[in-house]
Structures are given as C-alpha cells and as structure tokens.
Amino acid sequence: MNCKNCNNTLRLTQKFCDECGAKIIQNRLKPKVLAQQVNEHYFSIDNKLLITFLDLFKKPEVVIVGYVNGTRKKYIDVLQYFALSLTLTGIQVFLMSTFFKESTDMGSQFINGFNDAPTTTNNPLEGYDFNAINNYQGLFYILTVPFSALGTWFAYYIIGERSYNFTEHLVINLYYSAQVIIITALLTILFLVFGLDYLVISSIVYILTFVYLFYVLKCVFKTNFWNTLGRFSLVMAIYIGSFLIIGLIALIITVVTLYK
C-alpha cells in the first residue's frame, strides 16, 4: 500500500504516513464519513481551528513563535488561517451588500454632506460609489499585510531587535491580521443582525485591533509594558507614514480617474 499524497510505501497497520504525515484514509467517501471529517476539522472541541483561534488570544507567542520555530501540526498553517479569514470577509461583504445595505450606506451621506457645505462649488467625488470599497476588503487586507510586516520588521530592526527576519515578521502579521479579520467579520455580522450602527461598530473594532497588536508584540517579543509601548509607538509611526503615502497616491489616482 502506498500513500495517496506522496506515494511513500506504507505498512497495512499505519494510520499516518511517516514521510509526509498525512492521515491514511481507508474508508470510502460517504455522507457519514464526510460529516465526521467536517466535524473533526471545524466543529469538534479539539479541532485545529478552534485551538488556533483561542490560543491566538490566550498565548499568541506559542502559536506564532512555534510556527516560526517549526511547530506546524498543532495549529492551522498561517496561510490557511489567513485564507479562512478572507472567506469570512467574503461572507461579511455579501451579507452587508444584500441584507444590511441601508445600514452601511456611508458613501451617500458623506457626499451629501460635502455638497451641502457652503464653500463647495464642485464636488469631484459626486457620483462615486463609496460602498463599492466594501467589495474589495479582501484585496485590501492582502495588500496591507506586507506593509504591516515591513512596519514591525523595520521598527524592531531600528532598535536592534533582529531575532526575526522579514519573512518571520510576515508570519507574525499574517496570524495577527487573520485573527483581526475573523473577529471583525464575526462581530460585524452579529452586531448588524441586532441593528447596531455600522460606523460605531467599525470604530470600536478598529480601536481594539491596535490593542490586540500591542498584546501580540508584547507576548511574541517578551517585553514589559513600557518597552512594548515604545516599540508599539514606533511601529504605529511607520504604519501611519506608510498609509499616508499610500492614501495620497490612491487619492491622486482617484481624482485623476474621475476627471478623465
């Protein structure tokens, strides 16, 4: 018998491949077997998804540093976890654009307020659909991660903390971003179901994401509160500078496009 994943020769009594670590599947695929697999991977109390989600709150350094150091079986792989978070974002965007469209209609309110301003003679953003931005949340998250990784890597590089290279900072930020995206999507859907204001929700969640970043940095780099605060402030300064530049470029492109 050979492994169906790597073709390694197996003994009949083996339950896992000693070459690639894959579980040996001998039962034919049936509804009961499929249901057991779904329960094992996503709903059982000891599944990797739940353990990864909870431990990224309780002890993020174990998940993140463990992955960097080679522990890859206990928790969900960082790219899979990030992909799962983007899937939840897609569900969130679908629900917002389908069932909660009125509660998220921020663009028209902004444009109307701009038009009503006494000094406004010509609004370059008139007719621009700001709600369409929601449709590109996933892409925004993907593009943001490399910049956030550059921010943490550069900040710690400046102060001489160089125990992690850029790729390892990328892992830190992928896990952090995935956790933030998941909790943001879940809270947004939950709060919108109860009719709470989307802008209020976004503001609260936005603040909490930075609190969580502070917590992750403190745990991963094992520094006290004040040392972490100093490093966090430097990271935020780099973040803000980077996104101001990106925002300025995006604004210029938007205005140029609208005036064509």
Side-chain angles (χ1 to χ4, degrees), residues 20-248:
C20 68
K23 185 177 181 180
I24 307 304
I25 306 297
Q26 296 179 338
N27 296 325
R28 187 174 181 180
L29 190 60
K30 297 179 180 179
K32 181 179 180 180
V33 175
L34 184 61
Q36 289 174 344
Q37 291 180 355
V38 171
N39 178 67
E40 177 183 345
H41 288 289
Y42 297 104
F43 298 110
S44 65
I45 193 63
D46 59 345
N47 74 78
K48 286 185 178 182
L49 173 59
L50 182 59
I51 292 174
T52 303
F53 180 77
L54 292 178
D55 281 0
L56 277 172
F57 281 121
K58 295 188 299 182
K59 43 186 179 181
E61 71 281 7
V62 174
V63 181
I64 298 172
V65 177
Y67 183 89
V68 169
N69 290 336
T71 305
R72 309 286 167 86
K73 288 294 183 182
K74 185 177 180 180
Y75 300 106
I76 291 182
D77 180 85
V78 63
L79 293 178
Q80 292 178 341
Y81 198 59
F82 188 73
L84 174 64
S85 71
L86 295 180
T87 301
L88 279 178
T89 296
I91 296 173
Q92 172 199 336
V93 170
F94 170 76
L95 292 176
M96 288 170 61
S97 61
T98 305
F99 300 104
F100 305 106
K101 194 171 183 179
E102 292 183 0
S103 63
T104 58
D105 188 17
M106 301 174 293
S108 59
Q109 298 175 14
F110 174 80
I111 293 173
N112 290 337
F114 192 85
N115 283 330
D116 293 339
T119 57
T120 302
T121 57
N122 183 25
N123 182 4
L125 301 178
E126 185 174 1
Y128 189 77
D129 185 10
F130 279 85
N131 288 325
I133 297 175
N134 287 330
N135 298 328
Y136 298 96
Q137 280 192 27
L139 178 61
F140 174 77
Y141 288 137
I142 293 172
L143 295 176
T144 298
V145 171
F147 287 98
S148 62
L150 181 63
T152 56
W153 172 78
F154 188 54
Y156 280 84
Y157 187 87
I158 290 174
I159 63 174
E161 173 57 72
R162 302 171 186 178
S163 54
Y164 298 110
N165 60 32
F166 175 76
T167 303
E168 291 164 341
H169 273 272
L170 192 60
V171 170
I172 295 172
N173 283 273
L174 278 169
Y175 267 126
Y176 158 75
S177 299
Q179 189 78 344
V180 165
I181 294 168
I182 289 173
I183 197 63
T184 298
L186 293 176
L187 287 179
T188 299
I189 295 171
L190 179 64
F191 290 160
L192 287 176
V193 167
F194 285 98
L196 299 179
D197 186 86
Y198 178 72
L199 288 175
V200 174
I201 298 170
S202 301
S203 301
I204 294 174
V205 172
Y206 191 69
I207 294 172
L208 291 177
T209 58
F210 290 108
V211 174
Y212 180 63
L213 176 60
F214 177 90
Y215 172 66
V216 168
L217 294 177
K218 184 178 186 300
C219 293
V220 169
F221 291 94
K222 301 184 184 304
T223 51
N224 61 37
F225 177 85
W226 294 109
N227 284 335
T228 305
L229 182 61
R231 290 160 169 76
F232 176 78
S233 300
L234 182 57
V235 170
M236 292 309 301
I238 296 173
Y239 273 5
I240 293 172
S242 300
F243 285 111
L244 282 176
I245 294 173
I246 295 171
L248 180 61

